Amino acid sequence: MTQTVTPYHVSGDIDYERLLDDFGADRLPDATQERLGHPLARRDVFYAGRDVERFLDADERSVVTGRGPSGPMHLGHVLPFYFAKHLQDAFDATVYVPLSDDEKYYAKDQTYPETRDYLRDNLRDVLAVGFDPENTRIVVDTDDADVVYPVASAFAGDITHNQMTATYGDPPNVGLAFYPAVQTAHLLLPQLVEGAHATLVPIAVDQDPHVRVSRDVAAKAKYDASKPGALLGKFLPSLDGPGKMSSSEGVAIHLDDDPDAVREKIASHAYTGGRATVAEHREKGGVPEEDVPFQYLQAFFEPDDDRLRDIEAAYRAGELLSGELKELAADRIVEFLRAHQSRKADLGALDAELAPYRLTADERERARSAVGL
Amino acid sequence: MTQTVTPYHVSGDIDYERLLDDFGADRLPDATQERLGHPLARRDVFYAGRDVERFLDADERSVVTGRGPSGPMHLGHVLPFYFAKHLQDAFDATVYVPLSDDEKYYAKDQTYPETRDYLRDNLRDVLAVGFDPENTRIVVDTDDADVVYPVASAFAGDITHNQMTATYGDPPNVGLAFYPAVQTAHLLLPQLVEGAHATLVPIAVDQDPHVRVSRDVAAKAKYDASKPGALLGKFLPSLDGPGKMSSSEGVAIHLDDDPDAVREKIASHAYTGGRATVAEHREKGGVPEEDVPFQYLQAFFEPDDDRLRDIEAAYRAGELLSGELKELAADRIVEFLRAHQSRKADLGALDAELAPYRLTADERERARSAVGL
């Protein structure tokens, strides 16, 4: 089987177990998934990791989950933020949200003004998640460059050019060559600002190389920072079949989609585990493992374990038809989006809304001084 | 003849004419050297360039000349600053002085705290030159990262990884891989802040690759910036012979050296064009072309053309002995350093002294917005 998984390319069917061998991460024990206390973990979307128990056992914790603004956000993009909010609520974790507009400018054929438009819209989506501003910091690489660049530059000296090309291949330009240092700044920043503690980075598995680079830098122990832990997730499948939900390929449900659009996309495009005819479905039953609407419910949108089990059983028994399962999933997603969109619509001017989430002058100074500046 | 000249390595005897072929720069016509109006130009230290006439003919001009803080500064480091001050006085040029503490951290085995110490001392030497604060901007890469990084990142997308490795060879770390984008930010910043005009970069010839990279970026014309011109200089020779004056090799006169130290260094170490005995010197005369003290006088320290010609004639005729020429040069250098050191000693607290030279909030915003941020 051919598969390619790097931060800049995902192709082929994905063998998630084999990725663990390739990347050297550990499968999560069931007990750890339970302790995380969220459907995305106990339903096995977050299925592997590094140092997850250390995070759970720590007294002081932070979570880093970011976004590269290259377009409007879809469901696959926002679920990690809702998961981070859960970790904030359940474990009092400080959440850092880096927005890597520089990376998207380097990696995509998009200008900074275009990137800026995506950035502003994405920031409103991040704000709509409802993080606690006291315990959340949103960092925009080009707006917070006074701290991002000095910290990244300190780490850049510890990331060899060979390590970068071995991890990512030859980059197209010198910006992307430098970007591993910026990403390392994102992942170690909470410790620089808040003091040494346990950081967890919940990410899709294709982003693992970034975490490994930052773990290598932390391991050099020149700074008072421990290796960030990684919580590795499977991709939310594209509506029309297996593979990563993507705006550029396949069909994605965007955060701004209205209920009609959501229902239409699911009704018309969702890949199901149903049979060719209703009669055959009644007789043989559906296959939840292959059914994208079921997978959406399982991953996130049906948090109640009993209800999910009932749905699964009814579908497998042929009692629930694919169309009915689609409607069920559509209802839950529409409900989720209504709440999200309502919070987003209630936001005022972006700068004012962002203000309480920005690094304070004192926090900026602590980060600089932690790297000797 | 073997010679290696890159921004990170200079070795071998230097054939300055061959470098022009290698780099593709033009020898300056005598008339252009005269127009520049400074001994360093008309005595042929600044001997070549790109677009120097365009600078001289322009209505609005800027000069960029920087410093990488990796130790205390010596005479070879400071002369370009005094030359830039001359261009400010004579041509009303705005002078930008970038301090690349990031580059030195990337390129040398020195920590940021060490770099910081050098930076502070070097900044005091730059301030001691006596630039007009109204018409001068001093930029420290890690202190002014709020503008340096966003601008560098915009240009980084236009510098391919292949171009970087072809120009500089494989860099040791990802910081130095990115640095050509930072250097381009330095060289185009005046145009981003002040509007399009002619920029001149007076530099030692080994720094020419940096200028060529920034000229390539400017040529892409995505930004309202024209190619910076380059004024290429020969190295001030090391006291003890040909080659670049260097703190790490050979004997250098440092800006903090006291008169006794200067006289001792010149008396004991200066490579002369004198003869083996006084009698032979009287008979055959000295060779000014090989005499380092004479070259110092010629390059900078004896601005009066008639007096320099008299000195040269007397030395060639054997009337002036090497020891006497050494003393002459020592007197002029001591006089220069006294004035410099006196201005340096008169400076108050660094932050307060720097304040009028820093980019204003409005200038920072103009630079960001010029690259679409």
Side-chain angles (χ1 to χ4, degrees), chain B residues 35-371:
Chain B
R35 279 183 78 189
L36 284 162
H38 190 277
L40 282 168
R42 66 175 186 273
R43 309 267 179 76
D44 212 36
V45 174
F46 284 119
Y47 75 116
R50 305 166 188 275
D51 286 337
V52 178
E53 278 85 2
R54 189 164 64 76
F55 169 83
L56 288 168
D57 293 337
D59 292 326
E60 302 282 337
R61 306 177 182 93
S62 63
V63 171
V64 181
T65 183
R67 162 76 186 149
S70 58
M73 287 168 70
H74 58 59
L75 286 182
H77 297 136
V78 84
L79 298 196
F81 290 108
Y82 279 92
F83 180 74
K85 176 168 160 46
H86 160 75
L87 296 179
Q88 177 166 83
D89 295 342
F91 299 99
D92 196 32
T94 304
V95 174
Y96 274 66
V97 182
L99 279 285
S100 55
D101 57 341
D102 51 348
E103 180 197 21
K104 290 307 169 186
Y105 170 80
Y106 298 146
K108 306 256 178 186
D109 187 21
Q110 70 186 39
T111 66
Y112 260 141
E114 287 160 359
T115 308
R116 209 76 198 154
D117 288 340
Y118 299 140
L119 171 69
R120 276 188 289 262
D121 181 59
N122 292 179
L123 280 168
R124 299 181 80 84
D125 280 314
V126 170
L127 290 166
V129 172
F131 290 110
D132 169 16
E134 290 277 306
N135 214 12
T136 306
R137 290 294 172 262
I138 297 176
V139 174
V140 176
D141 285 345
T142 65
D143 288 343
D144 296 298
D146 61 315
V147 57
V148 170
Y149 182 67
V151 169
S153 77
F155 299 145
D158 291 326
I159 303 172
T160 67
H161 186 254
N162 286 343
Q163 183 184 4
M164 182 271 294
T165 55
T167 307
Y168 301 98
D170 267 6
N173 56 56
V174 301
L176 219 49
F178 183 67
Y179 187 70
V182 175
Q183 178 84 17
T184 299
H186 295 158
L187 300 191
L188 299 187
L189 190 59
Q191 295 187 72
L192 303 184
V193 171
E194 323 253 342
H197 62 249
T199 296
L200 189 67
V201 187
I203 42 170
V205 64
D206 61 332
Q207 303 295 307
D208 187 55
H210 287 312
V211 181
R212 283 181 290 156
V213 169
S214 70
R215 286 170 61 87
D216 288 347
V217 171
K220 290 182 184 168
K222 288 161 67 174
Y223 311 99
D224 192 16
S226 59
K227 293 181 181 184
L231 183 61
L232 302 174
K234 300 172 186 172
F235 305 119
L236 194 67
S238 184
L239 257 190
D240 49 352
K244 179 180 178 180
M245 182 180 274
S246 160
S247 301
S248 46
E249 296 167 57
V251 178
I253 296 173
H254 286 92
L255 299 187
D256 288 338
D257 282 349
D258 64 27
D260 286 350
V262 173
R263 292 182 197 286
E264 194 280 325
K265 281 182 182 177
I266 294 176
S268 307
H269 297 288
Y271 185 88
T272 76
R275 304 295 174 174
T277 64
V278 170
E280 189 188 346
H281 189 88
R282 295 287 187 210
E283 184 196 328
K284 298 186 179 165
V287 184
E289 292 75 11
E290 292 181 3
D291 193 283
V292 171
F294 179 78
Q295 285 176 47
Y296 284 18
L297 288 170
Q298 182 178 46
F300 186 87
F301 294 99
E302 180 46 76
D304 187 302
D305 290 346
D306 292 338
R307 283 166 63 185
L308 186 75
R309 198 166 37 236
D310 291 347
I311 292 168
E312 182 177 352
Y315 194 55
R316 212 182 285 286
E319 294 156 21
L320 192 67
L321 295 178
S322 291
E324 292 166 336
L325 182 51
K326 281 180 173 177
E327 277 178 42
L328 242 166
D331 286 347
R332 306 307 304 270
I333 291 170
V334 163
E335 183 185 342
F336 167 82
L337 286 180
R338 273 221 179 91
H340 180 87
Q341 290 167 3
S342 157
R343 286 189 298 272
K344 189 174 178 181
D346 285 347
L347 293 170
L350 184 58
D351 283 355
E353 292 284 351
L354 266 180
Y357 293 91
R358 299 200 70 197
L359 288 165
T360 64
D362 183 51
E363 289 166 344
R364 287 166 202 270
E365 188 48 44
R366 287 212 295 275
R368 285 176 56 94
S369 110
V371 298

Side-chain angles (χ1 to χ4, degrees), chain A residues 167-182:
Chain A
T167 307
Y168 301 99
D170 267 6
N173 56 56
V174 300
L176 218 50
F178 183 68
Y179 188 69
V182 175

